[in-house]
Amino acid sequence: MIDECLVVEFSVTGNDCPVVEATTDHDVIVDENPPAHRDDERTLLHFQAEGEVDEFTESLDETAEIDYLQVANGGSVAQCRCLLHDECVLRGLTTAGFMPHEIRIVDGTERFRGSVVGRDILRDVIQAAQEMGNVELERVAKLTSGAETNQGLDATIESSLTKQQREALIAALEQGYFDVPRGATATEVADELGISKSSFLGRMKRAQRTVFEQLLAGAG
């Protein structure tokens, strides 16, 4: 019987993974399934991208480190599969005992949420993260009867937004877009940002949904 299960969250920056790098240039949020690691040090990736997916997937298709990119595009959401030439940074953590549940990539930062069994394995996982150098422990929580307790650092609302979404929200707020009556129209804010009105409204819609989801999490 398992005595103690711990929920652990890591963030990774400065990763050379082309999928991660592409999120710095395009307004997308990537939710990835746990990758499959091959014996030839390649990695099979399966992920969902939401946002400005056409430009994002086009940039991936031009990347030499990625082969066999498959994209099922559903408007602002795309289901993607591909083969990455290198090993994913997550492999070192899983080898040490980390079991990933959720992987989200936003604005060049990966966030891994998963579990470990017992404090001894937790120490091994943290040591593996320290040896990588670019992996930071964000949070540890004890899982008791299906509920998390003793929470540490939580990801903030801001960290769930892309850079483009934050810029759109800040510009809208500064120009009075949320005022009643409005101090600026969507076209005026979009012009200030140097993007189209439709791009601005799309970023605002995705940003507001993220903010509301974070604020209302656990409510009801």
Side-chain angles (χ1 to χ4, degrees):
M1 181 179 293
I2 298 174
D3 294 327
E4 185 176 44
C5 186
L6 301 167
V7 176
V8 185
E9 295 182 9
F10 293 97
S11 64
V12 185
T13 55
N15 191 355
D16 292 333
C17 174
V19 177
V20 178
E21 291 180 345
T23 64
T24 64
D25 300 322
H26 305 286
D27 185 29
V28 294
I29 293 177
V30 174
D31 289 304
E32 182 181 328
N33 294 340
H37 304 288
R38 301 186 0 164
D39 291 339
D40 61 359
E41 297 185 353
R42 292 187 175 189
T43 306
L44 295 170
L45 301 180
H46 179 199
F47 55 89
Q48 173 181 288
E50 181 175 358
E52 299 174 357
V53 297
D54 289 339
E55 298 87 346
F56 172 72
T57 54
E58 285 175 7
S59 68
L60 291 183
D61 199 30
E62 296 171 355
T63 302
E65 291 83 1
I66 285 180
D67 285 332
Y68 310 117
L69 177 64
Q70 299 176 347
V71 179
N73 197 331
S76 63
V77 178
Q79 300 291 336
C80 307
R81 290 182 173 87
C82 65
L83 178 64
L84 179 66
H85 285 198
D86 299 322
E87 287 186 349
C88 173
V89 67
L90 188 59
R91 182 160 194 167
L93 299 178
T94 56
T95 300
F98 178 69
M99 296 177 286
H101 303 160
E102 301 172 11
I103 304 169
R104 170 161 284 196
I105 308 171
V106 180
D107 220 13
T109 298
E110 288 181 279
R111 295 186 181 276
F112 304 142
R113 185 175 187 272
S115 59
V116 299
V117 180
R119 299 280 172 175
D120 290 340
I121 295 180
L122 175 62
R123 283 192 290 269
D124 292 341
V125 172
I126 292 176
Q127 181 178 351
Q130 291 173 338
E131 291 174 354
M132 294 177 194
N134 60 342
V135 181
E136 181 176 347
L137 178 65
E138 294 280 352
R139 176 173 175 261
V140 177
K142 185 176 180 180
L143 188 63
T144 305
S145 300
E148 296 177 20
T149 59
N150 300 326
Q151 295 185 5
L153 296 176
D154 286 308
T156 63
I157 292 175
E158 183 178 2
S159 68
S160 297
L161 299 169
T162 68
K163 179 178 68 175
Q164 293 90 341
Q165 291 167 7
R166 289 195 297 272
E167 290 174 348
L169 282 175
I170 291 171
L173 183 62
E174 290 179 345
Q175 295 187 49
Y177 178 76
F178 298 111
D179 294 349
V180 180
R182 290 193 191 277
T185 65
T187 299
E188 290 170 338
V189 181
D191 288 344
E192 180 68 21
L193 291 168
I195 59 177
S196 67
K197 176 182 175 181
S198 60
S199 292
F200 167 71
L201 291 175
R203 293 178 187 184
M204 287 294 294
K205 181 179 179 180
R206 292 188 290 273
Q208 289 175 347
R209 188 185 69 180
T210 297
V211 171
F212 292 149
E213 285 176 348
Q214 294 285 340
L215 289 175
L216 298 176

